[in-house]
Amino acid sequence: MKAKNSSLKSGFILRLIIPLLCFMTVEAILSYFITWHYVDTAYDRWLLDSARSLVQEIKVKNHKARVELPASALEMFKWDEADKTYFKIISAEQGVIAGDAFVPESFDPKADWSQPIFFNETIYDESVRVVSMLIQRPEINEKVFVHVAETLNKRRAMMRDILIADLLPQSILVLLTGFYIVTGVKRGLKPLHKLADEIAQRSPRDLSPIAETYVFSEVRCLTDTINDLLTRLACAIAAQQRFIANAAHQLRTPLAGLKLQAERAMREDDLAAMRPALVQIQTSANRATHLITQLLVLAKAEPVEGMHRLQAVNLAALAREVCIDWTPKALQKKMSLSFDTQTDTLFLKADEILLKELLANLLDNAISYGNEHGTIGVKVYCQPSITLMVEDDGCGIAETELDKVFERFYRPANSSGEGCGLGLAIIKEIADLHHAQISLARVNAAGGLRVEVRFCE
Ligand SMILES: Nc1ncnc2c1ncn2[C@@H]1O[C@H](COP(=O)(O)OP(=O)(O)OP(=O)(O)O)[C@@H](O)[C@H]1O
Ligand SMILES: [Mg+2]
């Protein structure tokens, strides 16, 4: 699956700037409500003072409330540059004693009149803040209410000033922080760009490690991983080159033989004289064919991602089939080839063709290096784990050679036959692909080789 193409830089910036903006928004909303509360409280106190100054003007005449406000006092009361002020003094018996009848009153039945009551209303579609007070004096026989209303211009102006004073420095701070984050992230990611440039400018042949000039541990960790990969890649390429050189060398021998013998045959006139050269040509061609076949099998067994589809394979049936195919070859050397299995169905996840190649190479070795008139036993069993076993009664492999025989093109000095030293390397490669373990052991004191391939399910 192709990974979504996203930038580390934008990822960092978004992760830092979005929370910053969220914090700022929450802070602005909180500031708004807190400021509103304090502005309201401050101006409510002023409004209450105005209402109290009106209360001073209530006089008593015949146990009734009277208000006689001179025009100058009324003007002073109402004078305000920013807001309009309205008032109403009303008694339960006389109705409006003074002021504007349209000033709203609180009709809240649960209102507690022992305290001044503040509420918001509108006068001529304009929002006002109203304070209402109940005046009860022993010398007045009736309830008198004082209502004072004021428009909200001063409050709004004060709110605006406080919010600007609060938000302006904050916005500048956020802008500066954002700028610092963007440039900081850019600078922080510079080593990565430098590293990418350095790798991009390399020649494909340059597998030398990246210089350890990077200060940041994260980038160092990346360069260390890349260096580790480069080292492994260099080893793999060196092994590949060794393998190609060996394969070329191995192929050159039978091809040189072919050429030589063909030249020799061409110098002869009659068929009888040509025959020895033709036999040599056949031998060289067989060797070349065998080598090429082994090389192809080895290439097929290479662990390439997605190339091998492992599916359920009946190991017992597969081993029986391969043994039947190889019986004629064993009989040529007068060997008996037996097959034994604990059960006829023994399924495991495998690549069927490669598994056949594995057993074919084991049988080829048993026939090539086993005793004439000897016996070869192939066994499949599932306890303690699924195992394929091939044993012969030949000379076996010396203890000191056991590790080396799995190397490509390696043949012990005393090896007989025309092999090219790839069989066990192929077997190992296929076993590794199936996560199987191989063990080589002597059959008994007289010799023989037992090869066990144990599959871990
Ligand atoms: N069953 C065996 N008995 C004795 N020696 C063996 C046996 N199997 C392998 N060997 C030894 O291990 C060596 C390596 O075996 P391997 O199968 O890898 O190569 P090869 O048989 O020489 O060539 P190839 O299999 O590629 O034709 C052989 O040359 C042989 O000396
Ligand atoms: Mg072999």
Short mmCIF file of all heavy atoms in Angstrom, two decimals, residues 290-291 294 361-370 390-398 401 404-427 440 448-451, ligand 1:
data_model
loop_
_atom_site.label_atom_id
_atom_site.label_comp_id
_atom_site.label_asym_id
_atom_site.label_seq_id
_atom_site.Cartn_x
_atom_site.Cartn_y
_atom_site.Cartn_z
N HIS A 290 23.89 -29.42 -16.23
CA HIS A 290 23.66 -29.60 -14.79
C HIS A 290 23.92 -28.29 -14.04
O HIS A 290 23.11 -27.86 -13.20
CB HIS A 290 24.57 -30.72 -14.27
CG HIS A 290 24.45 -30.92 -12.79
ND1 HIS A 290 23.31 -31.40 -12.18
CD2 HIS A 290 25.34 -30.68 -11.79
CE1 HIS A 290 23.49 -31.45 -10.88
NE2 HIS A 290 24.73 -31.02 -10.61
N LEU A 291 25.05 -27.65 -14.40
CA LEU A 291 25.41 -26.41 -13.72
C LEU A 291 24.35 -25.33 -13.95
O LEU A 291 23.92 -24.65 -13.02
CB LEU A 291 26.78 -25.94 -14.23
CG LEU A 291 27.28 -24.62 -13.63
CD1 LEU A 291 27.47 -24.72 -12.13
CD2 LEU A 291 28.59 -24.19 -14.28
N GLN A 294 21.26 -26.09 -11.96
CA GLN A 294 21.46 -25.76 -10.54
C GLN A 294 21.41 -24.25 -10.32
O GLN A 294 20.80 -23.78 -9.37
CB GLN A 294 22.81 -26.30 -10.04
CG GLN A 294 22.93 -27.80 -9.97
CD GLN A 294 22.08 -28.40 -8.85
OE1 GLN A 294 20.86 -28.38 -8.93
NE2 GLN A 294 22.70 -28.95 -7.83
N ASN A 361 17.62 -32.75 -4.83
CA ASN A 361 19.05 -32.56 -4.56
C ASN A 361 19.56 -33.49 -3.47
O ASN A 361 20.69 -33.97 -3.54
CB ASN A 361 19.32 -31.10 -4.17
CG ASN A 361 19.63 -30.27 -5.40
OD1 ASN A 361 20.71 -30.36 -5.97
ND2 ASN A 361 18.66 -29.49 -5.84
N LEU A 362 18.70 -33.75 -2.46
CA LEU A 362 19.10 -34.69 -1.40
C LEU A 362 19.29 -36.09 -1.99
O LEU A 362 20.25 -36.80 -1.67
CB LEU A 362 18.03 -34.73 -0.29
CG LEU A 362 18.00 -33.51 0.65
CD1 LEU A 362 16.83 -33.64 1.62
CD2 LEU A 362 19.31 -33.40 1.41
N LEU A 363 18.36 -36.50 -2.87
CA LEU A 363 18.45 -37.83 -3.49
C LEU A 363 19.64 -37.91 -4.44
O LEU A 363 20.34 -38.93 -4.50
CB LEU A 363 17.14 -38.16 -4.22
CG LEU A 363 15.96 -38.46 -3.30
CD1 LEU A 363 14.68 -38.62 -4.10
CD2 LEU A 363 16.21 -39.72 -2.48
N ASP A 364 19.88 -36.79 -5.16
CA ASP A 364 21.02 -36.75 -6.08
C ASP A 364 22.31 -36.99 -5.31
O ASP A 364 23.17 -37.78 -5.72
CB ASP A 364 21.04 -35.40 -6.80
CG ASP A 364 22.12 -35.34 -7.86
OD1 ASP A 364 22.23 -36.31 -8.63
OD2 ASP A 364 22.87 -34.34 -7.91
N ASN A 365 22.43 -36.32 -4.16
CA ASN A 365 23.64 -36.50 -3.32
C ASN A 365 23.73 -37.93 -2.81
O ASN A 365 24.79 -38.55 -2.84
CB ASN A 365 23.61 -35.54 -2.14
CG ASN A 365 24.04 -34.14 -2.55
OD1 ASN A 365 24.49 -33.94 -3.68
ND2 ASN A 365 23.89 -33.18 -1.65
N ALA A 366 22.57 -38.46 -2.29
CA ALA A 366 22.59 -39.82 -1.74
C ALA A 366 23.01 -40.83 -2.81
O ALA A 366 23.78 -41.77 -2.54
CB ALA A 366 21.21 -40.17 -1.18
N ILE A 367 22.52 -40.64 -4.06
CA ILE A 367 22.87 -41.57 -5.14
C ILE A 367 24.33 -41.35 -5.58
O ILE A 367 25.09 -42.30 -5.78
CB ILE A 367 21.90 -41.39 -6.33
CG1 ILE A 367 20.50 -41.84 -5.92
CG2 ILE A 367 22.36 -42.18 -7.55
CD1 ILE A 367 19.39 -41.50 -6.91
N SER A 368 24.76 -40.05 -5.65
CA SER A 368 26.11 -39.76 -6.12
C SER A 368 27.17 -40.20 -5.11
O SER A 368 28.24 -40.68 -5.50
CB SER A 368 26.29 -38.26 -6.36
OG SER A 368 25.33 -37.80 -7.25
N TYR A 369 26.89 -40.00 -3.80
CA TYR A 369 27.94 -40.25 -2.80
C TYR A 369 27.66 -41.49 -1.95
O TYR A 369 28.45 -41.82 -1.06
CB TYR A 369 28.13 -39.02 -1.92
CG TYR A 369 28.31 -37.75 -2.73
CD1 TYR A 369 27.36 -36.75 -2.74
CD2 TYR A 369 29.43 -37.60 -3.56
CE1 TYR A 369 27.51 -35.61 -3.52
CE2 TYR A 369 29.58 -36.47 -4.35
CZ TYR A 369 28.63 -35.48 -4.34
OH TYR A 369 28.78 -34.37 -5.12
N GLY A 370 26.51 -42.18 -2.20
CA GLY A 370 26.22 -43.41 -1.46
C GLY A 370 26.96 -44.60 -2.06
O GLY A 370 27.54 -44.49 -3.15
N VAL A 390 16.42 -37.96 4.77
CA VAL A 390 17.02 -38.81 3.72
C VAL A 390 18.32 -39.34 4.29
O VAL A 390 19.14 -38.57 4.81
CB VAL A 390 17.31 -37.99 2.43
CG1 VAL A 390 17.98 -38.87 1.39
CG2 VAL A 390 16.02 -37.41 1.87
N GLU A 391 18.50 -40.67 4.24
CA GLU A 391 19.78 -41.21 4.73
C GLU A 391 20.33 -42.24 3.76
O GLU A 391 19.57 -42.91 3.05
CB GLU A 391 19.65 -41.76 6.16
CG GLU A 391 18.72 -42.92 6.35
CD GLU A 391 18.65 -43.38 7.80
OE1 GLU A 391 19.01 -42.62 8.71
OE2 GLU A 391 18.24 -44.53 8.00
N ASP A 392 21.66 -42.28 3.71
CA ASP A 392 22.31 -43.26 2.83
C ASP A 392 23.39 -43.96 3.62
O ASP A 392 23.66 -43.61 4.79
CB ASP A 392 22.88 -42.55 1.60
CG ASP A 392 23.91 -41.51 1.95
OD1 ASP A 392 24.93 -41.86 2.56
OD2 ASP A 392 23.67 -40.30 1.66
N ASP A 393 24.01 -44.96 3.01
CA ASP A 393 25.07 -45.68 3.74
C ASP A 393 26.43 -45.48 3.06
O ASP A 393 27.26 -46.37 3.01
CB ASP A 393 24.73 -47.18 3.87
CG ASP A 393 24.42 -47.80 2.51
OD1 ASP A 393 24.53 -47.08 1.50
OD2 ASP A 393 24.08 -49.00 2.47
N GLY A 394 26.63 -44.24 2.53
CA GLY A 394 27.91 -43.92 1.88
C GLY A 394 28.96 -43.55 2.92
O GLY A 394 28.83 -43.87 4.12
N CYS A 395 29.95 -42.76 2.47
CA CYS A 395 31.07 -42.43 3.38
C CYS A 395 30.72 -41.27 4.32
O CYS A 395 31.42 -41.03 5.30
CB CYS A 395 32.31 -42.11 2.56
SG CYS A 395 32.00 -40.74 1.43
N GLY A 396 29.67 -40.55 3.99
CA GLY A 396 29.28 -39.42 4.85
C GLY A 396 30.18 -38.21 4.64
O GLY A 396 31.06 -38.21 3.77
N ILE A 397 29.96 -37.18 5.44
CA ILE A 397 30.76 -35.94 5.33
C ILE A 397 31.59 -35.79 6.60
O ILE A 397 31.06 -35.97 7.71
CB ILE A 397 29.87 -34.70 5.14
CG1 ILE A 397 29.00 -34.85 3.87
CG2 ILE A 397 30.68 -33.42 5.04
CD1 ILE A 397 28.01 -33.73 3.64
N ALA A 398 32.88 -35.47 6.42
CA ALA A 398 33.76 -35.32 7.59
C ALA A 398 33.24 -34.20 8.48
O ALA A 398 32.68 -33.19 7.98
CB ALA A 398 35.17 -34.99 7.11
N GLU A 401 33.94 -30.62 7.71
CA GLU A 401 33.37 -30.04 6.47
C GLU A 401 31.89 -29.69 6.63
O GLU A 401 31.32 -29.04 5.75
CB GLU A 401 33.50 -31.05 5.30
CG GLU A 401 34.90 -31.51 5.00
CD GLU A 401 35.70 -30.45 4.24
OE1 GLU A 401 35.13 -29.39 3.95
OE2 GLU A 401 36.88 -30.69 3.98
N LYS A 404 30.94 -26.09 6.03
CA LYS A 404 31.35 -25.49 4.76
C LYS A 404 30.53 -25.99 3.57
O LYS A 404 30.39 -25.29 2.57
CB LYS A 404 32.83 -25.79 4.50
CG LYS A 404 33.76 -25.21 5.55
CD LYS A 404 35.18 -25.47 5.17
CE LYS A 404 36.06 -25.57 6.40
NZ LYS A 404 37.25 -26.35 6.15
N VAL A 405 30.00 -27.23 3.67
CA VAL A 405 29.34 -27.80 2.48
C VAL A 405 28.09 -27.03 2.03
O VAL A 405 27.64 -27.20 0.91
CB VAL A 405 28.95 -29.30 2.70
CG1 VAL A 405 30.16 -30.18 2.62
CG2 VAL A 405 28.18 -29.47 3.99
N PHE A 406 27.59 -26.13 2.92
CA PHE A 406 26.41 -25.34 2.52
C PHE A 406 26.79 -24.10 1.71
O PHE A 406 25.93 -23.43 1.16
CB PHE A 406 25.61 -24.92 3.75
CG PHE A 406 24.87 -26.06 4.39
CD1 PHE A 406 25.31 -26.62 5.58
CD2 PHE A 406 23.74 -26.60 3.79
CE1 PHE A 406 24.63 -27.67 6.16
CE2 PHE A 406 23.06 -27.65 4.37
CZ PHE A 406 23.51 -28.20 5.56
N GLU A 407 28.11 -23.81 1.65
CA GLU A 407 28.54 -22.64 0.85
C GLU A 407 28.40 -22.95 -0.63
O GLU A 407 28.61 -24.09 -1.06
CB GLU A 407 30.02 -22.31 1.14
CG GLU A 407 30.22 -21.67 2.49
CD GLU A 407 31.69 -21.57 2.85
OE1 GLU A 407 32.53 -21.55 1.92
OE2 GLU A 407 31.98 -21.54 4.06
N ARG A 408 28.12 -21.89 -1.39
CA ARG A 408 27.95 -22.08 -2.83
C ARG A 408 29.29 -22.47 -3.48
O ARG A 408 30.32 -21.89 -3.14
CB ARG A 408 27.44 -20.78 -3.47
CG ARG A 408 26.05 -20.46 -2.99
CD ARG A 408 25.60 -19.11 -3.47
NE ARG A 408 24.22 -18.90 -3.05
CZ ARG A 408 23.46 -17.92 -3.48
NH1 ARG A 408 23.91 -17.06 -4.35
NH2 ARG A 408 22.21 -17.79 -3.06
N PHE A 409 29.25 -23.43 -4.34
CA PHE A 409 30.39 -23.94 -5.11
C PHE A 409 31.45 -24.64 -4.25
O PHE A 409 32.53 -24.92 -4.71
CB PHE A 409 31.09 -22.82 -5.92
CG PHE A 409 30.19 -22.20 -6.95
CD1 PHE A 409 29.72 -20.91 -6.81
CD2 PHE A 409 29.78 -22.92 -8.07
CE1 PHE A 409 28.88 -20.34 -7.75
CE2 PHE A 409 28.94 -22.36 -9.01
CZ PHE A 409 28.49 -21.07 -8.85
N TYR A 410 31.12 -24.89 -2.99
CA TYR A 410 32.12 -25.57 -2.15
C TYR A 410 31.98 -27.07 -2.28
O TYR A 410 30.89 -27.63 -2.14
CB TYR A 410 31.97 -25.17 -0.68
CG TYR A 410 33.04 -25.82 0.18
CD1 TYR A 410 34.31 -25.27 0.26
CD2 TYR A 410 32.78 -27.02 0.87
CE1 TYR A 410 35.31 -25.89 1.00
CE2 TYR A 410 33.78 -27.64 1.61
CZ TYR A 410 35.03 -27.06 1.67
OH TYR A 410 36.01 -27.68 2.40
N ARG A 411 33.09 -27.75 -2.54
CA ARG A 411 33.12 -29.22 -2.56
C ARG A 411 34.35 -29.63 -1.78
O ARG A 411 35.45 -29.12 -2.02
CB ARG A 411 33.24 -29.76 -3.99
CG ARG A 411 32.15 -29.28 -4.93
CD ARG A 411 32.16 -30.10 -6.21
NE ARG A 411 31.52 -31.39 -6.02
CZ ARG A 411 31.91 -32.52 -6.60
NH1 ARG A 411 32.98 -32.52 -7.38
NH2 ARG A 411 31.28 -33.66 -6.40
N PRO A 412 34.21 -30.57 -0.83
CA PRO A 412 35.40 -31.04 -0.11
C PRO A 412 36.41 -31.62 -1.11
O PRO A 412 36.01 -32.12 -2.18
CB PRO A 412 34.86 -32.12 0.82
CG PRO A 412 33.42 -31.81 0.96
CD PRO A 412 33.00 -31.20 -0.33
N ALA A 413 37.69 -31.56 -0.72
CA ALA A 413 38.76 -31.95 -1.64
C ALA A 413 38.58 -33.37 -2.18
O ALA A 413 38.87 -33.64 -3.35
CB ALA A 413 40.10 -31.79 -0.94
N ASN A 414 38.08 -34.28 -1.32
CA ASN A 414 38.00 -35.69 -1.74
C ASN A 414 36.66 -36.03 -2.42
O ASN A 414 36.31 -37.20 -2.57
CB ASN A 414 38.21 -36.61 -0.52
CG ASN A 414 37.18 -36.33 0.56
OD1 ASN A 414 36.46 -35.33 0.50
ND2 ASN A 414 37.09 -37.23 1.53
N SER A 415 35.89 -34.99 -2.82
CA SER A 415 34.56 -35.27 -3.39
C SER A 415 34.69 -36.01 -4.72
O SER A 415 35.51 -35.65 -5.57
CB SER A 415 33.82 -33.96 -3.65
OG SER A 415 33.60 -33.31 -2.45
N SER A 416 33.85 -37.02 -4.87
CA SER A 416 33.85 -37.76 -6.13
C SER A 416 32.79 -37.15 -7.05
O SER A 416 32.03 -36.26 -6.64
CB SER A 416 33.52 -39.23 -5.85
OG SER A 416 32.27 -39.29 -5.19
N GLY A 417 32.72 -37.65 -8.26
CA GLY A 417 31.64 -37.24 -9.17
C GLY A 417 31.88 -35.89 -9.83
O GLY A 417 32.93 -35.27 -9.67
N GLU A 418 30.84 -35.44 -10.54
CA GLU A 418 30.97 -34.26 -11.40
C GLU A 418 30.15 -33.07 -10.87
O GLU A 418 29.75 -32.20 -11.62
CB GLU A 418 30.44 -34.61 -12.81
CG GLU A 418 31.27 -35.61 -13.57
CD GLU A 418 32.58 -35.01 -14.08
OE1 GLU A 418 32.50 -34.04 -14.85
OE2 GLU A 418 33.65 -35.49 -13.68
N GLY A 419 29.85 -33.07 -9.59
CA GLY A 419 28.99 -32.01 -9.04
C GLY A 419 29.66 -30.64 -9.12
O GLY A 419 30.86 -30.53 -9.36
N CYS A 420 28.86 -29.63 -8.92
CA CYS A 420 29.43 -28.27 -8.99
C CYS A 420 29.37 -27.56 -7.64
O CYS A 420 29.66 -26.36 -7.54
CB CYS A 420 28.73 -27.46 -10.07
SG CYS A 420 26.95 -27.52 -9.98
N GLY A 421 28.93 -28.27 -6.61
CA GLY A 421 28.95 -27.69 -5.26
C GLY A 421 27.80 -26.74 -4.97
O GLY A 421 27.91 -25.85 -4.13
N LEU A 422 26.67 -26.93 -5.64
CA LEU A 422 25.53 -26.03 -5.40
C LEU A 422 24.35 -26.71 -4.71
O LEU A 422 23.45 -26.04 -4.19
CB LEU A 422 25.04 -25.43 -6.72
CG LEU A 422 25.91 -24.33 -7.33
CD1 LEU A 422 25.33 -23.87 -8.66
CD2 LEU A 422 26.02 -23.14 -6.38
N GLY A 423 24.33 -28.06 -4.70
CA GLY A 423 23.17 -28.81 -4.20
C GLY A 423 22.77 -28.42 -2.79
O GLY A 423 21.61 -28.05 -2.53
N LEU A 424 23.74 -28.48 -1.85
CA LEU A 424 23.39 -28.19 -0.45
C LEU A 424 23.08 -26.70 -0.25
O LEU A 424 22.27 -26.34 0.62
CB LEU A 424 24.51 -28.65 0.48
CG LEU A 424 24.53 -30.18 0.70
CD1 LEU A 424 25.78 -30.61 1.46
CD2 LEU A 424 23.29 -30.68 1.46
N ALA A 425 23.73 -25.84 -1.06
CA ALA A 425 23.41 -24.40 -0.98
C ALA A 425 21.95 -24.17 -1.38
O ALA A 425 21.22 -23.39 -0.75
CB ALA A 425 24.33 -23.60 -1.90
N ILE A 426 21.52 -24.90 -2.44
CA ILE A 426 20.11 -24.80 -2.87
C ILE A 426 19.18 -25.30 -1.76
O ILE A 426 18.18 -24.67 -1.42
CB ILE A 426 19.90 -25.62 -4.17
CG1 ILE A 426 20.62 -24.95 -5.34
CG2 ILE A 426 18.42 -25.80 -4.48
CD1 ILE A 426 20.66 -25.78 -6.62
N ILE A 427 19.56 -26.47 -1.18
CA ILE A 427 18.74 -27.06 -0.11
C ILE A 427 18.60 -26.07 1.05
O ILE A 427 17.50 -25.85 1.58
CB ILE A 427 19.39 -28.39 0.36
CG1 ILE A 427 19.26 -29.43 -0.75
CG2 ILE A 427 18.76 -28.88 1.66
CD1 ILE A 427 20.13 -30.65 -0.57
N LEU A 440 22.75 -32.24 9.55
CA LEU A 440 23.49 -33.32 8.90
C LEU A 440 24.09 -34.16 10.01
O LEU A 440 24.65 -33.63 10.96
CB LEU A 440 24.63 -32.76 8.04
CG LEU A 440 24.27 -31.75 6.94
CD1 LEU A 440 25.53 -31.32 6.19
CD2 LEU A 440 23.29 -32.35 5.95
N GLY A 448 27.82 -43.14 6.52
CA GLY A 448 26.46 -42.80 6.08
C GLY A 448 26.15 -41.36 6.43
O GLY A 448 26.77 -40.78 7.33
N LEU A 449 25.21 -40.78 5.71
CA LEU A 449 24.80 -39.39 6.02
C LEU A 449 23.29 -39.36 6.19
O LEU A 449 22.54 -39.89 5.38
CB LEU A 449 25.23 -38.44 4.88
CG LEU A 449 24.93 -36.97 5.16
CD1 LEU A 449 25.87 -36.40 6.21
CD2 LEU A 449 25.02 -36.14 3.88
N ARG A 450 22.87 -38.73 7.30
CA ARG A 450 21.43 -38.54 7.51
C ARG A 450 21.16 -37.03 7.45
O ARG A 450 21.74 -36.27 8.23
CB ARG A 450 21.00 -39.08 8.87
CG ARG A 450 19.52 -38.82 9.15
CD ARG A 450 19.10 -39.31 10.51
NE ARG A 450 19.23 -40.75 10.60
CZ ARG A 450 19.67 -41.39 11.68
NH1 ARG A 450 20.03 -40.70 12.75
NH2 ARG A 450 19.79 -42.71 11.70
N VAL A 451 20.31 -36.66 6.53
CA VAL A 451 19.94 -35.24 6.42
C VAL A 451 18.50 -35.10 6.88
O VAL A 451 17.61 -35.80 6.39
CB VAL A 451 20.07 -34.74 4.96
CG1 VAL A 451 19.83 -33.23 4.90
CG2 VAL A 451 21.42 -35.09 4.37
N1 LIG B 1 25.02 -37.82 0.94
C1 LIG B 1 26.30 -37.45 0.93
N2 LIG B 1 27.29 -38.30 1.29
C2 LIG B 1 28.57 -37.89 1.29
N3 LIG B 1 28.99 -36.65 0.95
C3 LIG B 1 28.08 -35.81 0.58
C4 LIG B 1 26.67 -36.10 0.56
N4 LIG B 1 26.00 -35.02 0.16
C5 LIG B 1 26.92 -34.07 -0.07
N5 LIG B 1 28.12 -34.49 0.17
C6 LIG B 1 29.38 -33.72 0.06
O1 LIG B 1 29.07 -32.37 0.11
C7 LIG B 1 29.54 -31.70 -1.05
C8 LIG B 1 28.61 -30.62 -1.43
O2 LIG B 1 27.39 -31.18 -1.87
P1 LIG B 1 26.49 -30.39 -2.86
O3 LIG B 1 25.28 -31.18 -3.12
O4 LIG B 1 26.36 -29.03 -2.33
O5 LIG B 1 27.37 -30.24 -4.16
P2 LIG B 1 27.70 -31.33 -5.23
O6 LIG B 1 26.90 -32.54 -4.99
O7 LIG B 1 29.18 -31.47 -5.20
O8 LIG B 1 27.27 -30.60 -6.55
P3 LIG B 1 25.78 -30.40 -7.10
O9 LIG B 1 24.87 -30.93 -6.10
O10 LIG B 1 25.65 -28.96 -7.31
O11 LIG B 1 25.75 -31.15 -8.37
C9 LIG B 1 29.65 -32.76 -2.08
O12 LIG B 1 30.64 -32.44 -3.03
C10 LIG B 1 30.05 -33.96 -1.24
O13 LIG B 1 31.45 -33.98 -1.02
#
